[in-house]
Amino acid sequence: MPVNIRQVAARILAAYDNGTLTGTPCSSSPEFGWEDAYEVAAEIHAARVSRGERPAGRKIGFTNRNIWAEYGATSPIWAHVYDSSVIRAQNGRAQLSLARSVSPRIEPEIAFELASPVAPDMRDPAAILRSIAWFAPSFEIVDCHFEDWKFKGADSAADQSLHWRLVIGEPVVASACDKVALAKQLADCQVELSCNGQTRDCGTGSNALGHPALALAFLADIVARQPRFAPLAAGEVITTGTLTAALPVTAGETWTSKFSGLPVAPLTLELTA
């Protein structure tokens, strides 16, 4: 039986809206694949836009190959982010309620705002960085609407690539930066992720597909092959994937990311019920 894309999309969007679990598409339709997953994603995107949510950019997931085995991932994935899911920190701090999340996890990332589209097939990080307006530390809160975070790759792409919220720290304008020097900083920088003052994990910029700019290149390449989605455009915020493990979070915790080797301020997130 063919996959009913609209039914799957409606079910996953309802789970997202209500903070509930649902079955994986692959469990009910073993033939469910990557093309089906992004068709579901496109249906969800259209539904969210039709109810008034405005696209603010995109997230890229599973760029950190160090965590692929934990999730059974085989490829990076992507999804839209919206005005309803993006939070701008003030003075390096933000507060977020976890209401209507299921089993959220936190990911320290590097986000960019595009000054111009990234052309497909680019592989030089410094050249790619000519397309960015600014860079900033970010936290993506990811959430999974399948039991125990168990899914196949196509399932995760259908579940809005697990995007729930994106918290953006203080931006650093890129126009005055030497792009070759910035490319090296972004690859070599280190991040410390702490919870309530205790270090929980550390990572490096190169954990994002070898370089955060190469995560942008992946996104430009895949979107160029997906005609249902709009091409990348100036003004979009793109977050490039976790640099550490994705760690479970609960209300009452305060999480902080501190970068070394990259001129960005610490980002602190307080989580509430």
Side-chain angles (χ1 to χ4, degrees):
M1 180 179 297
V3 177
N4 190 317
I5 297 296
R6 288 188 176 181
Q7 284 186 2
V8 174
R11 180 163 51 83
I12 290 176
L13 183 56
Y16 170 84
D17 287 340
N18 298 318
T20 56
L21 293 172
T22 187
T24 64
C26 286
S27 63
S28 55
S29 301
E31 71 277 19
F32 189 85
W34 288 107
E35 289 189 14
D36 298 314
Y38 283 107
E39 286 294 308
V40 169
E43 289 288 332
I44 292 174
H45 177 62
R48 294 186 69 167
V49 170
S50 70
R51 69 190 189 183
E53 295 181 82
R54 293 182 298 166
R58 326 224 185 176
K59 65 77 53 89
I60 314 169
F62 291 138
T63 58
N64 188 340
R65 294 185 179 94
N66 296 325
I67 67 173
W68 280 15
E70 180 180 357
Y71 297 99
T74 58
S75 170
I77 54 179
W78 77 272
H80 290 88
V81 302
Y82 302 88
D83 58 348
S84 56
S85 68
V86 173
I87 297 97
R88 306 272 180 163
Q90 300 296 320
N91 299 317
R93 300 187 70 89
Q95 188 177 85
L96 174 64
S97 167
L98 295 176
R100 292 194 303 279
S101 63
V102 179
S103 51
R105 300 185 180 193
I106 193 168
E107 300 182 340
E109 309 191 2
I110 294 170
F112 300 116
E113 183 184 90
L114 295 182
S116 60
V118 177
D121 300 320
M122 295 188 70
R123 296 296 179 267
D124 177 4
I128 295 166
L129 292 173
R130 296 192 190 107
S131 292
I132 70 167
W134 53 251
F135 58 94
S138 64
F139 282 132
E140 188 182 15
I141 304 299
V142 291
D143 201 13
C144 180
H145 299 93
F146 311 130
E147 189 171 4
D148 296 328
W149 279 79
K150 301 298 183 185
F151 47 75
K152 294 185 178 179
D155 295 320
S156 64
D159 191 13
Q160 303 183 87
S161 292
L162 310 176
H163 174 67
W164 195 69
R165 298 290 185 271
L166 174 62
V167 181
I168 301 172
E170 190 69 27
V172 177
V173 176
S175 58
C177 297
D178 179 307
K179 299 304 186 293
V180 174
L182 178 59
K184 180 171 175 55
Q185 289 176 329
L186 285 165
D188 296 344
C189 69
Q190 303 288 317
V191 63
E192 177 189 16
L193 177 64
S194 63
C195 177
N196 297 336
Q198 300 294 315
T199 300
R200 296 291 303 277
D201 203 3
C202 296
T204 182
S206 61
N207 283 345
L209 285 185
H211 195 291
L214 295 180
L216 275 181
F218 159 81
L219 180 62
D221 289 351
I222 191 171
V223 171
R225 301 192 301 269
Q226 296 175 323
R228 281 204 65 177
F229 299 106
L232 299 181
E236 290 197 57
V237 174
I238 313 293
T239 192
T240 53
T242 188
L243 304 180
T244 69
L247 298 179
V249 295
T250 60
E253 295 174 338
T254 297
W255 290 80
T256 299
S257 66
K258 293 182 179 179
F259 281 82
S260 57
L262 188 68
V264 296
L267 177 59
T268 295
L269 177 62
E270 300 176 22
L271 298 172
T272 65

